[in-house]
Amino acid sequence: MAEPASTLSHSRIHRALSRPNLLMGADRELVLLTGLASVILIFVVLTWYAALFGFAVWLVTLAALRMMAKADPLMRRVYLRHVSYRAYYRPTSTPWRRY
């Protein structure tokens, strides 16, 4: 016999615990890494051209990262896990493959 619904326990899951960690709409670590690389480029070369180029590179990279996060917010982690399993799961199978 089925139990009544009132005996079931409910747990609240906060949205902050289940959402991916994004910054400006893209993966947080990649945004900070590209921003750091652009700032290093700007302050090492110290010209207006380098500043414009570094800012433009950062904006283009940020746009690409945002498109990537819009497709799948966890794409970086999925790709890193895929690369780590590459030795175990070959992309193609063949009858001459050694086990």
Side-chain angles (χ1 to χ4, degrees):
M1 188 164 191
E3 294 181 4
S6 62
T7 61
L8 296 176
S9 63
H10 294 279
S11 298
R12 290 182 180 241
I13 298 176
H14 295 281
R15 264 193 289 174
L17 297 174
S18 62
R19 291 191 318 199
N21 195 3
L22 301 179
L23 177 68
M24 293 194 291
D27 188 27
R28 181 177 162 266
E29 289 87 5
L30 293 178
V31 169
L32 293 174
L33 183 68
T34 57
L36 179 66
S38 297
V39 167
I40 288 173
L41 171 72
I42 291 169
F43 284 108
V44 165
V45 179
L46 284 177
T47 62
W48 287 106
Y49 297 120
L52 290 175
F53 181 71
F55 189 68
V57 165
W58 186 66
L59 285 179
V60 168
T61 330
L62 182 63
L65 290 174
R66 289 183 70 179
M67 288 190 318
M68 184 178 83
K70 188 179 261 190
D72 183 10
L74 302 174
M75 189 178 291
R76 178 183 61 93
R77 292 186 186 136
V78 170
Y79 177 72
L80 291 175
R81 188 173 53 225
H82 160 72
V83 169
S84 69
Y85 288 154
R86 185 178 289 169
Y88 302 109
Y89 300 110
R90 300 286 179 189
T92 60
S93 63
T94 174
W96 299 282
R97 182 171 179 251
R98 291 184 176 175
Y99 290 101

